[in-house]
Amino acid sequence: MEEPCNGSRPKGQFRGRELFRAQRKESEGSVDCPSVEFEYGDVDSFTAELSELFSYTEEPEFALNKRCFEEDFKTQVKGERWTQLNAVQQKAYVMRLLDGLEVVDRDKRLKVARAILYLAQGVFGDCGSESEVLRWSRSNTFLLYEMGTFTAILELLNMEIDNIQACSSALRKPAISLADSTELRVLLSVMYLMVENFRLPAEPDRPEWALAKETFRTELSFPVQTDEPFALLLFTMVTKFCSGHAPHFPMKKVLLLLWKVLLFTLGGFEDLQAMKVKKREGLGLPPLPEDSLQVVRSMRAASPPASALELLEQQQKRGRRVRRPLIKQDSLDLYNERDPFKNDEGAVDEEDNDDADSGIEGEVDPLERDIIPPLVATYPTTERVTFPKGLPWAPKVRERDIEHFLESSRNKFIGFTLGHDTETLVGLPRPIHESVKTLKQYKYVSIADVQIRNEEELESCPVSLGEENVPETPCEVLYRTMLYNLPQYMIALLKILLAAAPTSKAKTDSINILADVLPEEMPITVLDSMRLGIDVNRHKEIIVKSISALLLLLLKHFKLNHIYQFEYVSQHLVFANCIPLILKFFNQNIMSYICAKNSICVLDYPYCTAHDLPELTAESLETGDNSQFCWRNLFSCINLLRALNKLTKWKHSRTMMLVVFKSAPILKRALKVKQAMMQLYVLKLLKIQTKYLGRQWRKSNMKTMSAIYQNVRHRMNDDWAYGNDIDARPWDFQAEECTLRANIESFNSRRYDKNQNWEFAPVDNCLQSVLGQRLELPEDFHYTYELWLEREVFSQPIRWEELLRDE
């Protein structure tokens, strides 16, 4: 039998290895996943955001809305269509509809509300294409707002929220369905369509629309009739639903509307960046070193780290290794250029590069020599992608870091410290001078640092500094109105997020979030059951998307407005177990979640209103759309990771929660999604806990460590890779949270307490003046006045000698 030639492998071994790899790729499915072409933003496309408002079980109601409109329209306008009327005629008809909203009959009000919803949906019966439906929807919503429809709908919404009969009827039912929330769903849909159309950039040829947009934004942010913004009413609906008093509330629509109202009134991520730049200029701080949004968008995804099966195969390789002859330096240089983090598309699969982490260089499995092509042929010069040299982020140094560095240097060289003095360098050697100069070169003072310093000054000198001038921004108004019920709002949002998470198991005591998706009669056929299953999964995904975006938006805006507002929200999220909840969410096959196809494109609005629906089959439902991934699920994952970063950044007690809940393997699995932004926030979360994970973890996860080094911003004297952090003392963790809580309570009391100046009010020492003051007594006091005199005055002995006793 002929021996295999140099470098070839026996056929049996080749097949065994290929079978093992095929099984591994089949079981994981994410090792060789391509880079995800995903562009992160405030929202998805306009049509996608509109389609997510309506469940597939609501599809028959489109025809019902159309019928309600046409029946009323034919009685008012003879022989014409809505699209044929001029502006005066359209306004006159809308006024008649608004009059119909004030009738006593509930059924008649609902028909008029459906006719208004049909107008907001774009009078699709008179349109021939999706673009025409969207154009009329936009035009009609501006017309509806001009005629005062939003205010009328808001009054009806308040009536429905306070409808005790509907609440008690829903509580008595064993199963709640779409029929229990019909009126609420119609009203919320009209509001959502109005907010979403107003949120779009105004057209340049319609200046009256731009003016209406700003008026509407002001109306939602600074309400005139009540003391509360519109968003607070929606927050109240959320808490009422979670408390069990109103289980029929359509939570998906409420959360979508709440998210879009906050996005419209507070601003999105681009607006936040612009406000941040403007605020830094106002505080006299230097400009930002880079635009973080642009840097993240320009980053490229890294190859995922080795999985457990890959490591097992790697160990099997090493068991069969033999010494390899010496390689020329040129070949080694070419090997070093094969960096999987710099060129993922040109690099070979990571299962062939795992040896780089083993610490054994210059050895190759002899069974694989025949499949390693010449290095020059694998990486031709013409196809090599060039990258800018250097790291993507400019390093940052805090004032506190410079103080710690100087404190340790002074203790070492001169034996004493100078407190917070960072200017005096007397007695320190020249290299320390250079180090301090470099640290100060990259010193970064955040807006939060300035706000904390100002707060300390206001606390120490309340009389001399006087009252703080607080700008009346939409964010400030929202926080002030949310303040006293904010813990309940955060708990309610997390309860719904837990119920909608794909990893949550159904429990009898959990809240029912499917009230606005389940039909009155459950499906009988297999096809209808499949359709309902897709609708339920889609419903949960949309809820997760809205809550994740809502939480992130609140955290970012409150942090910019005032750091202690952000810390107050963060602390209540942490107290409500937000950290383990997010980790539980990611403890799943995240690639399957991101690639899920829980959508039926032909049933999406506005497509379903402008086209004849084809016959649905089981095969078409299983196939789904042709997209590479689900935009909303990837958007939700990134939002949750960003929120988790916000909660744990610079908080050692919360970082230890990540370690205690064993988040490292969960987060490492999330790196398999080859999307740069998602990987960046996963790596940030891994970076802050590497010092606690031990040397063995760092040694066996060198690719992850390398990815952290290449993608995450550096702090000059942060030894995250070695575990020598002076702030990592576990006995300080509880004190850290208690100090933060005391600072937050002091801030809230000083700025928002109505009786905040009672300590500094002047004291009246004149007896006649004090006795002459008129006191407000209870109405029933005169009924018990004699009893009070007997108990408090006559029955009490008067000890005159007490007056003569020397103090």
Side-chain angles (χ1 to χ4, degrees), residues 617-631:
T617 61
E619 291 75 14
S620 64
L621 293 182
E622 286 180 354
T623 304
D625 55 17
N626 297 321
S627 59
Q628 180 192 8
F629 60 92
C630 178
W631 195 97

Side-chain angles (χ1 to χ4, degrees), residues 97 167 188 247 271 282 330 408 518 555 587 646 728 738:
L97 284 179
C167 294
L188 291 168
D271 301 315
D330 294 342
S408 60
L518 295 177
L555 289 172
N587 193 20
K646 292 279 182 195
C738 290

Side-chain angles (χ1 to χ4, degrees), residues 670-681:
L671 287 175
K672 292 188 176 296
V673 181
K674 291 185 69 174
Q675 203 281 325
M677 191 171 190
M678 182 169 172
Q679 286 185 345
L680 172 66
Y681 290 104

Side-chain angles (χ1 to χ4, degrees), residues 117-320:
L117 176 57
Y118 177 72
L119 285 175
Q121 287 173 337
V123 287
F124 47 82
D126 298 342
C127 302
S129 64
E130 291 180 59
S131 59
E132 194 175 356
V133 171
L134 294 177
R135 182 169 58 83
W136 275 106
S137 172
R138 185 165 169 77
S139 176
N140 290 344
T141 50
F142 276 91
L143 174 64
L144 290 171
Y145 175 73
E146 182 185 351
M147 304 307 296
T149 307
F150 188 86
T151 305
I153 295 291
L154 181 58
E155 291 177 0
L156 288 179
L157 180 64
N158 279 303
M159 287 173 54
E160 290 298 329
I161 292 172
D162 297 332
N163 190 341
I164 301 175
Q165 183 180 356
C167 294
S168 58
S169 173
L171 286 169
R172 287 194 302 268
K173 284 189 175 182
I176 305 173
S177 65
L178 276 171
D180 297 299
S181 59
T182 303
E183 291 83 359
L184 283 169
R185 285 187 293 106
V186 171
L187 299 175
L188 291 168
S189 296
V190 173
M191 290 178 154
Y192 181 88
L193 289 170
M194 292 182 72
V195 171
E196 190 65 7
N197 276 291
F198 271 77
R199 195 183 54 79
L200 289 178
E203 298 178 8
D205 58 338
R206 302 295 293 267
E208 68 277 9
W209 284 10
L211 181 61
K213 179 178 178 179
E214 292 306 316
T215 307
F216 189 37
R217 179 185 280 118
T218 305
E219 182 181 335
L220 293 176
S221 308
F222 309 102
V224 179
Q225 297 179 350
T226 62
D227 296 331
E228 300 174 348
F230 176 58
L232 202 73
L233 176 67
L234 300 176
F235 270 118
T236 307
M237 291 184 71
V238 175
T239 53
K240 195 172 181 181
F241 170 79
C242 288
S243 64
H245 298 310
H248 65 297
F249 280 1
M251 263 306 102
K252 185 190 79 173
K253 293 187 190 300
V254 172
L255 291 168
L256 281 174
L257 179 57
L258 176 57
W259 168 36
K260 293 303 173 62
V261 166
L262 292 181
L263 189 62
F264 179 51
T265 55
L266 302 182
F269 299 128
E270 297 282 354
D271 301 315
L272 266 166
Q273 188 73 9
M275 286 188 283
K276 188 175 182 180
V277 171
K278 186 177 179 181
K279 196 160 190 174
R280 289 184 67 86
E281 289 178 0
L283 294 172
L285 297 175
L288 294 168
E290 70 275 302
D291 186 342
S292 57
L293 292 173
Q294 297 301 323
V295 173
V296 171
R297 286 169 182 166
S298 64
M299 294 175 70
R300 297 193 59 196
S303 296
S307 64
L309 286 172
E310 287 175 317
L311 294 174
L312 179 62
E313 183 185 4
Q314 180 181 333
Q315 290 176 0
Q316 292 176 354
K317 282 188 200 174
R318 292 173 185 168
R320 298 188 300 270

